[in-house]
Amino acid sequence: MPKIRKVLVANRGEIAIRVMRTCKELGIATVAVFSEADRSALHVRTADQAYLVGPPPSRESYLVQERILEVAKQSGADAIHPGYGFLSENASFVRACEKAGITFIGPPAAAMDAMGEKTRARANMIKAGVPVVPGSTEPIQTPEEAREYAQQIGFPIMLKAAGGGGGKGMRRVEGLHDFDSAWRSAKSEAMSSFGNDSVYIEKYLEKPHHVEIQVFADQYGNTVHLNERECSAQRRHQKVVEETPSPILTPELRAKMGEVAVKAAKAVNYVGAGTVEFLVDVHRNFYFLEMNTRLQVEHPVTEWVTGLDLVAMQIRAAEGEKLPLFEAPEPRGHAIEVRVYAEDPARNFMPSPGKITHLRVPGGPNVRDDSGVFAGFTVPNFYDPMISKLSVWAPTRAEAIARAKRALSEYVVKGITTNIRYLHGILSHPEFVGGDYDTSFLTREHTALLGSEDTQLSEVALLASTLHAFQRDQKRAKSLPSAGAGAGDTGGRISPWRLALKNRRR
């Protein structure tokens, strides 16, 4: 197959930049697409060319297949990398690329049909003899049918989007009393995230670990797994912290899960990067959950411990090259990734869009920050609020935790609220440090992870803000014409500075 010369990255933010960096190293030109909300975004500045694709809502811009393909033709791109989310697991888009003569850097449409649609993937795995979490093997059409099925398998249950992953369109339901609202919100979020509101039901397992296996395949049937990632630190079913190796897996269990993951990929003639996700119960039994037919957000931790560039491997697989390895590499050291979000953990993780007035990212040995923002950039409120992924590597897990905490302590973002302090709380919590944390960890320890407010720092902040206001008022007063008041006369008012000191003494 011919070498790829120019790649259109059908995504935004940090993942678009991440793909573009590898393309530049390979000598491949890049094309960015952007919505009106992303005109000044960093991925637009990073690419060799950039094209507007529509208004801010993703369904009118990043999800419009026809417009993306039109830009590919206009720019002369001969390949499209979808990143993750948006069109990355859309089989109809893959077919449209093939019809247009454009290489899709990802699995073939048939494999995506088989595994990208979650209920079909479950049915395929059941046929292949892979243990799966109890649940429906087809999308459920009506709330009445869904309620009846939920009662049959027993609460609690999970409502899950059939057309995509990443925690979108997923709701835990405890009983009939909250079923209807969860059904509506799950379908609505699934539609806005994937353009597909199909939902299915799974039995909720108590205190499971979420462990996924990275797989990779070429066009000649060669498939290998690249070890696991522990993803149990989740909030609202969306991963917040990931690490590899998993602290709960033995070499024997890793090999067994890897073998099943490779079997799953081969069963659908998979090509490229994919992730087979499992739930592991307290007895260390594992169950197939789903397969994500794309690059994962947390792929950097796998790159840290294997020394591989997964995006470069994706591109080479799309060009028809064979895999550079044919057996799982031995994990080298330990890697941890935390997701930095523009959100306020103290206000129920409310998104915090706005202008970043100051930004200092961490550095030092074996620290990596995949980011899509810069000082002066305004974080829009139309998309996922993740602004960067901070990952670290160290020889041991304890050293990796210490390095991640140090890096977080260097991270400074002003102008918006972030979850940096919350992430530091996770890494410092005894349950995380101990390594045996499950998917309910963040919910269960929510109050402890928020931490207590430092009253002395609060007083310093109050005094500093009051002093700033006083100095500002003094400057304004000097710029106004005199009204006959004597020097230093405040018109009988108490200065904000003195008022703050008076309140403090009280």
Side-chain angles (χ1 to χ4, degrees):
M1 295 180 64
K3 293 291 185 181
I4 291 171
R5 297 175 293 102
K6 184 182 289 189
V7 171
L8 183 152
V9 184
N11 219 297
R12 63 179 301 277
E14 61 83 18
I15 184 57
I17 296 168
R18 186 299 159 248
V19 173
M20 291 172 189
R21 284 173 172 159
T22 288
C23 287
K24 183 168 290 188
E25 292 177 8
L26 297 176
I28 298 172
T30 56
V31 180
V33 292
F34 63 94
S35 72
E36 292 172 355
D38 279 336
R39 283 184 180 274
S40 63
L42 192 57
H43 77 280
V44 176
R45 303 181 182 191
T46 303
D48 298 304
Q49 297 171 261
Y51 291 77
L52 175 67
V53 289
S58 56
R59 65 180 178 276
E60 300 176 34
S61 51
Y62 295 106
L63 287 171
V64 182
Q65 299 182 30
E66 296 80 7
R67 182 59 182 138
I68 301 296
L69 289 169
E70 181 183 336
V71 169
K73 293 177 181 178
Q74 289 177 354
S75 64
D78 53 353
I80 291 179
H81 193 299
Y84 49 73
F86 292 147
L87 296 170
S88 63
E89 295 183 278
N90 191 310
S92 69
F93 181 62
V94 179
R95 292 190 175 92
C97 288
E98 293 172 354
K99 186 176 180 180
I102 297 171
T103 299
F104 179 82
I105 302 175
M112 200 174 282
D113 281 333
M115 299 300 271
E117 209 282 338
K118 309 307 178 185
T119 53
R120 191 175 296 117
R122 287 169 52 82
N124 287 334
M125 291 302 97
I126 290 172
K127 290 179 182 177
V130 175
V132 302
V133 178
S136 58
T137 55
E138 294 290 339
I140 297 181
Q141 303 301 323
T142 66
E144 292 77 19
E145 181 186 353
R147 280 195 297 269
E148 182 180 349
Y149 186 82
Q151 289 176 289
Q152 288 177 7
I153 66 172
F155 290 99
I157 57 98
M158 295 293 296
L159 292 174
K160 304 184 73 173
K168 303 296 185 182
M170 188 182 299
R171 298 292 184 274
R172 177 178 173 177
V173 186
E174 297 293 335
L176 289 175
H177 62 281
D178 60 348
F179 187 91
D180 289 346
S181 61
W183 172 265
R184 289 192 297 270
S185 61
K187 289 182 74 67
S188 175
E189 189 174 48
M191 175 57 76
S192 63
S193 298
F194 313 114
N196 178 359
D197 71 348
S198 298
V199 172
Y200 68 101
I201 290 178
E202 277 184 353
K203 177 68 178 174
Y204 179 79
L205 298 181
E206 298 293 339
K207 294 185 177 180
H209 283 260
H210 188 139
V211 180
E212 61 189 26
I213 302 290
Q214 176 73 62
V215 295
F216 218 99
D218 61 26
Q219 298 183 22
Y220 309 97
N222 302 307
T223 308
V224 65
H225 78 84
L226 304 178
N227 303 314
E228 83 285 356
R229 294 184 288 255
E230 173 72 54
C231 305
S232 297
Q234 303 179 8
R235 184 187 64 78
R236 295 174 184 165
H237 316 298
Q238 195 161 19
K239 302 159 189 174
V240 179
V241 179
E242 300 100 347
E243 61 178 314
T244 187
S246 167
I248 69 160
L249 256 60
T250 62
E252 293 75 20
L253 185 54
R254 175 181 298 115
K256 190 174 181 181
M257 292 177 69
E259 182 181 346
V260 171
V262 168
K263 179 181 179 182
K266 285 189 171 183
V268 295
N269 298 315
Y270 199 81
V271 175
T275 304
V276 183
E277 305 202 7
F278 298 94
L279 290 181
V280 182
D281 67 19
V282 293
H283 305 293
R284 300 302 184 254
N285 299 311
F286 63 91
Y287 303 89
F288 173 83
L289 185 61
E290 62 186 21
M291 183 175 186
N292 288 314
T293 55
R294 53 172 167 79
L295 194 68
Q296 290 280 84
V297 178
E298 56 274 21
H299 74 274
V301 294
T302 295
E303 295 183 326
W304 273 120
V305 301
T306 61
L308 300 169
D309 182 333
L310 297 191
V311 173
M313 289 177 65
Q314 284 186 297
I315 293 172
R316 288 170 179 143
E319 290 177 329
E321 291 191 21
K322 290 186 176 181
L323 284 177
L325 72 170
F326 298 100
E327 61 182 23
E330 190 70 24
R332 180 185 65 90
H334 200 95
I336 296 175
E337 176 185 284
V338 296
R339 304 188 187 189
V340 180
Y341 285 94
E343 64 184 12
D344 188 352
R347 300 177 64 195
N348 196 29
F349 299 93
M350 182 179 293
S352 175
K355 185 177 182 179
I356 297 176
T357 58
H358 176 79
L359 178 65
R360 186 185 74 189
V361 299
N366 299 312
V367 173
R368 169 178 169 178
D369 184 61
D370 288 35
S371 175
V373 300
F374 54 90
F377 177 69
T378 298
V379 178
N381 61 353
F382 299 99
Y383 314 112
D384 186 278
M386 187 177 74
I387 59 175
S388 80
K389 305 180 308 192
L390 175 65
S391 61
V392 303
W393 178 91
T396 67
R397 185 172 188 267
E399 291 173 293
I401 292 174
R403 178 160 290 158
K405 290 168 63 177
R406 186 270 298 168
L408 282 170
S409 71
E410 295 180 2
Y411 220 134
V412 179
V413 186
K414 293 183 179 180
I416 61 173
T417 303
T418 71
N419 66 333
I420 290 174
R421 181 179 174 185
Y422 176 74
L423 294 171
H424 200 282
I426 295 173
L427 298 179
S428 303
H429 195 282
E431 192 169 337
F432 181 86
V433 174
D436 194 10
Y437 57 96
D438 57 64
T439 56
S440 64
F441 164 53
L442 297 190
T443 302
R444 189 174 59 251
E445 299 296 324
H446 174 69
T447 302
L449 294 173
L450 288 178
S452 57
E453 187 174 307
D454 189 323
T455 55
Q456 290 184 334
L457 288 179
S458 297
E459 287 186 358
V460 171
L462 172 63
L463 292 172
S465 62
T466 305
L467 177 60
H468 173 74
F470 175 67
Q471 292 173 334
R472 179 197 62 203
D473 291 346
Q474 289 290 87
K475 289 181 180 179
R476 288 177 178 173
K478 289 179 180 179
S479 66
L480 294 175
S482 174
D489 189 354
T490 61
R493 294 183 290 105
I494 300 176
S495 74
W497 176 247
R498 290 181 178 177
L499 182 61
L501 291 176
K502 184 177 179 181
N503 291 336
R504 185 171 184 270
R505 283 195 293 270
R506 288 178 181 173

